[in-house]
Amino acid sequence: MSESPSPTMVLRAHAEDEYAAELAALAASDDRPRPPRWRLSPWAVTTYLLGGTLDDGTEITPKYLGSRRLMEVAVASLATDRALLLLGVPGTAKTWVSEHLAAAVSGSSTLVVQGTAGTPEESLRYGWNYARLLAEGPTRGALVPSPVMRAMEMGTLVRIEELTRIPADVQDALITILSEKHLPIPELDSEVQAQQGFNVIATANNRDKGVNDLSSALKRRFNTLVLPLPDTLAQEVEIVRTRVDSLGRSLPPGLESLAEIERVVTIFRELRSGVTADQRTTVKSPSATLSTAEAISVMTNGLSLAAHFGDGVVRADDVAAGLVGAVVKDPVQDRIVWHEYLETVVKDRTEWTDLYRACRELG
């Protein structure tokens, strides 16, 4: 019989498990009013997201580096009867924020609907165990509740990832749930009424292909919050550093300074904006999104290369392959854009000679 993996063997723990000590400390010190069935008050949820020091000295690590007001608006929205839609380009921490909001508010982030082009209506409403349906007919025991239905019954938050990837006719199954706060089950001549504490956090991006626009009726039932890209180079570097430290725990420490992170983030920001940081040179933008999440991936890959095939210290050779792979998604057009950027920008920066050489050697 195989043994269940211990929590320390899990590649990525759920937010409520990884930060259980912080959530417990917040709950113990939280004396502010809490909405029905919330584990923490809105103030404590915001502190959990943005970090801080509690009265007993407990340090709460920041989960989101950005505008405090944005997070306050997100938390306040969830305390109303309106659902929350986190909107933005890929890599703006929409999923990350939704997971931590659910963990802090409901104590669980695992009620999730992953939106895809093939997501059926049953994922938002309910389905049937067909073996029991044939044997018993339509009964409550034969019904298979969706994560949304379970959240309604328990009075908790449910997450819907990539809402705009779900077909429009399936999306609209949410309209009655969000407006009337009940889910009809006509086969049983019954319904599920949402308990206090129920709400929906949805995420969507406006950059990827294959997006289905939300109907106006569904849009009206969401408070929409746009999560921006990091405002400054320093802020984006800190985000990348924090996440790389977290993801690279199984590897020896290899980032002796932030120099390599700063170079990767600078390149991403310049290619995204179409102009160099000094505003002197216009550059072409590739088809790739070049999000903060992709910068994290480049640095994590570089850390792995340095640990397993180098001397343990991340250098230009270690980040070059990931950098090229992140920028060049279209082997024709993006390669031209990348080559021009290397020759007109990277080559002229004397302190980047090693990075220019490493990227050129990769072709």
Side-chain angles (χ1 to χ4, degrees), residues 66-101:
S67 167
R68 181 178 188 87
R69 195 56 177 173
L70 275 177
M71 292 301 100
E72 290 175 344
V73 171
V75 174
S77 295
L78 290 173
T80 71
D81 63 352
R82 293 282 295 278
L84 175 65
L85 174 61
L86 301 176
L87 185 67
V89 300
T92 47
K94 300 182 296 297
T95 296
W96 181 253
V97 169
S98 74
E99 178 185 355
H100 284 285
L101 280 171

Side-chain angles (χ1 to χ4, degrees), residues 13-80:
H14 297 303
E16 59 271 21
D17 297 326
E18 184 170 357
Y19 297 98
E22 291 186 12
L23 290 167
L26 278 164
S29 65
D30 185 14
D31 58 359
R32 291 167 172 78
R34 307 180 187 185
R37 285 197 171 88
W38 278 40
R39 298 292 186 93
L40 300 172
S41 69
W43 170 85
V45 173
T46 305
T47 301
Y48 170 73
L49 286 169
L50 297 173
T53 303
L54 303 183
D55 292 340
D56 64 1
T58 302
E59 289 290 334
I60 305 300
T61 58
K63 318 304 180 299
Y64 178 78
L65 298 176
S67 167
R68 181 178 188 87
R69 195 56 177 173
L70 275 177
M71 292 301 100
E72 290 175 344
V73 171
V75 174
S77 295
L78 290 173
T80 71

